[in-house]
Amino acid sequence: MAMHHTPPPGATPAHAKSVPTPVATPTTSYWLKNLTPASAAAGARARHAPSPQHPPAPSRAAQLPAAADVVIIGGGIAGVSTAYHLRKSRPELQVVLLEARQLSHGATGRNGGLLWPALNAPWLKTAARYGPAEAQRMMAFELQCLREVTDFITAHKLEEEVRYSPFADGAFYVYDTPAEMEAEMAELELMQQFGIHTDVQPLGAAATAALLRTDTFAGAVRQPGVARVWAARLVGALARLAAAAGPAGGLTIAEGVRVAGVAPLGEGEPLPAMDEVCAWLEEAEEEGQAGGKGAGGASATNNIVPMGRTGGGKPSPAALAVSLCSEALDPSATPLLKVTTDCGASVLARRVLHCTNAYGSALLPELRGALVPVRNHVAATKLPSEGGPDLPLDAAFYARGGFVYWSKREDGRVVVGGFRDVVPGLEWGVWDDGALDPTVSAALHAYLPQHFPAAFRAQQQQQQHSGHDRNGPQQQQPRLATDAEWSGILGFTQDRFPFVGPVPGRRGQFVAAGFSGHGMTRTFTCGRVLADMVAGTAPPDPAFPAAWLPSAARLGPATPLVPGPEMAAGAIYT
């Protein structure tokens, strides 16, 4: 469903002038703080890849190969899923994944842990821009994304490892006022005309109060089919399975390596590490001759093949720039790209995939303004037995148009986040996840006690009678007993849908970014789609929405207000 909320007065885009890059000392999320060696499975993962919860070795770039078929930038779900699916479909390829921090230390390891299928944009505006049929296709693909990641988890028996389970009581959109619920119901009625969200259940104020044991909401809509998952653990499992999906040494995962730039190899520019490049090409050619397929074969399904050579067995720069392959969506694109890291090491690649979400514009300047970083705040409470709240229902919740969300986890604790609507700038254009905004943090701590007073009554009484109460009982407000509080950076686009596919005007480069706060459901499958595009082993997925391909028409400025007709006065989706 589309959530609607009006931003506070004075909320305007605050695009920073500098380039968004991961800060050196981010806050530590509950998900990353509590990773275990079992979830990382370091011993079974790709070479050069330390476990996600441990800092990388200081000189990772020195261990990089000189060349690869594919370089993936970004170690979240999108990047690691792409690596996994490439290894499954084209195990002969040399794949290098570069991560500036450690695996899952971006938005993947800092979110709310929800697999919640939704359009993530206003239906009316989306249908007006792309047509009802394409909007319907987007929602159908959303459900396919949920099935694919769920099937992956169950097929590999990862439920316990990644803490996956559906919410027993479903998920709820809750509303503060009757007017807010009325606007949402009007849009829901339009969506149901196209067969979307026909399984949801609207609840009036009395029914909502009975279920939630609080009378602070004007109503709710219950949605089935929503699940929880520990995304950082999912990335660890994906990395382990990617390493096992092809020949040893075919996947290099390098953490602590920041990419400084990606550019086509210039005419006449000397090839670095020529002996290693030649060895790489010769090995690929031998594999192709032995198997009749692979990097040495030139067939309709192999779009990454060894480049031509000059006499003496060494490739010339000119020959390396000649296309010997076909590529889905862009048959002419076969450059040799030079990926340079901030410490000076470089890797030659035939394809470069940008999977850095909010940080995508750092290496793709054409995305600046079209892909905006937005800071989000999240906290995990202590267990109920340790002073955390014991909220009713095993469920997930959205409130205030999606600006507030919380869910009960498998062990009874609560993960709660959002609240950027309490500051004028909406945290728009902010990418410092090494800090917390005190106003946002205060709102986060106050929300659940205010809306579920019964669950906090004992804590409030204890505070009022405590010897530490110096300001009197009237000044005391219950605060959440938290195990961790952190921030994370989202990447928003103008229409709130991701960019997935070839980068316009950049031959051989692809992108999967801009998931607009809704990547948990979509990133796994978008990684598979990106791998299919690059590998050329299968026709394009007919279910994939063409509207999600990067295009000049979609590179308009991303703002807190989604362009398009309004469902009701002042109703927007942010």
Side-chain angles (χ1 to χ4, degrees), residues 120-494:
N120 195 46
W123 169 264
L124 190 64
K125 295 183 178 186
T126 303
R129 179 168 183 169
Y130 296 112
E134 186 67 6
Q136 192 175 20
R137 174 187 293 271
M138 292 182 196
M139 192 61 211
F141 187 71
E142 171 84 355
L143 295 174
Q144 177 178 319
C145 290
L146 180 63
R147 288 193 299 271
E148 286 193 23
V149 68
T150 302
D151 289 347
F152 170 80
I153 291 170
T154 56
H156 293 281
K157 297 180 172 54
L158 299 173
E159 293 93 331
E160 176 61 27
E161 179 179 344
V162 304
R163 304 297 192 267
Y164 167 84
S165 61
F167 290 101
D169 296 309
F172 294 80
Y173 299 86
V174 293
Y175 307 103
D176 290 334
T177 67
E180 182 187 9
M181 185 170 183
E182 182 180 350
E184 183 77 359
M185 292 303 98
E187 179 143 312
L188 175 60
E189 183 178 349
L190 286 178
M191 297 175 77
Q192 289 180 334
Q193 293 175 14
F194 292 88
I196 298 171
H197 287 314
T198 57
D199 57 349
V200 301
Q201 177 190 11
L203 300 168
T208 302
L211 275 173
L212 302 186
R213 300 203 294 271
T214 178
D215 60 1
T216 56
F217 299 109
V221 171
R222 175 159 34 189
Q223 178 181 343
V226 178
R228 63 191 139 225
V229 72
W230 193 317
R233 289 172 174 262
L234 178 61
V235 165
L238 272 168
R240 181 180 71 243
L241 292 168
L251 173 64
T252 298
I253 298 179
E255 297 174 302
V257 177
R258 292 174 181 259
V259 175
V262 179
L265 193 69
E267 183 65 29
E269 183 177 352
L271 286 170
M274 178 63 74
D275 290 340
E276 186 174 346
V277 173
C278 290
W280 166 61
L281 292 171
E282 288 165 1
E283 180 182 355
E285 188 172 81
E286 289 171 1
E287 289 178 358
Q289 292 172 348
K293 181 184 176 182
S299 70
T301 60
N302 291 336
N303 71 322
I304 301 181
V305 296
M307 301 297 179
R309 294 217 174 98
T310 59
K314 292 187 176 182
S316 68
L320 283 165
V322 173
S323 173
L324 294 179
C325 69
S326 62
E327 172 179 286
L329 307 178
D330 188 3
S332 66
T334 312
L336 194 65
L337 299 166
K338 185 177 182 179
V339 181
T340 305
T341 67
D342 62 353
C343 58
S346 62
V347 182
L348 298 180
R350 295 189 176 103
R351 300 290 181 271
V352 174
L353 316 183
H354 299 261
C355 299
T356 53
N357 201 33
Y359 307 107
S361 65
L363 297 174
L364 299 171
E366 59 267 43
L367 297 183
R368 290 173 194 171
L371 174 56
V372 177
V374 178
R375 185 167 63 183
N376 189 50
H377 289 59
V378 194
T381 71
K382 292 185 178 297
L383 295 172
S385 60
E386 299 172 349
D390 186 11
L391 297 184
L393 302 185
D394 179 42
F397 298 84
Y398 274 167
R400 296 214 309 244
F403 277 120
V404 174
Y405 59 88
W406 69 96
S407 68
K408 185 173 284 190
R409 308 313 294 183
E410 72 286 342
D411 58 3
R413 76 178 70 244
V414 175
V415 170
V416 55
F419 302 95
R420 58 189 181 86
D421 58 333
V422 302
V423 291
L426 295 172
E427 299 284 72
W428 201 261
V430 179
W431 64 83
D432 180 6
D433 57 2
L436 299 173
D437 183 283
T439 301
V440 175
S441 179
L444 184 154
H445 278 270
Y447 184 85
L448 291 178
Q450 290 172 353
H451 286 77
F452 295 89
F456 290 86
R457 190 162 292 133
Q459 177 185 342
Q460 189 171 28
Q461 291 173 349
Q462 182 179 7
Q463 287 180 344
Q464 290 174 352
H465 294 90
S466 170
H468 300 287
D469 179 6
R470 298 179 180 178
N471 298 317
Q474 299 301 320
Q475 301 298 320
Q476 290 296 307
Q477 292 293 332
R479 283 180 59 85
L480 292 179
T482 58
D483 189 45
E485 185 176 356
W486 65 94
S487 58
I489 309 304
L490 315 173
F492 274 61
T493 64
Q494 184 186 78

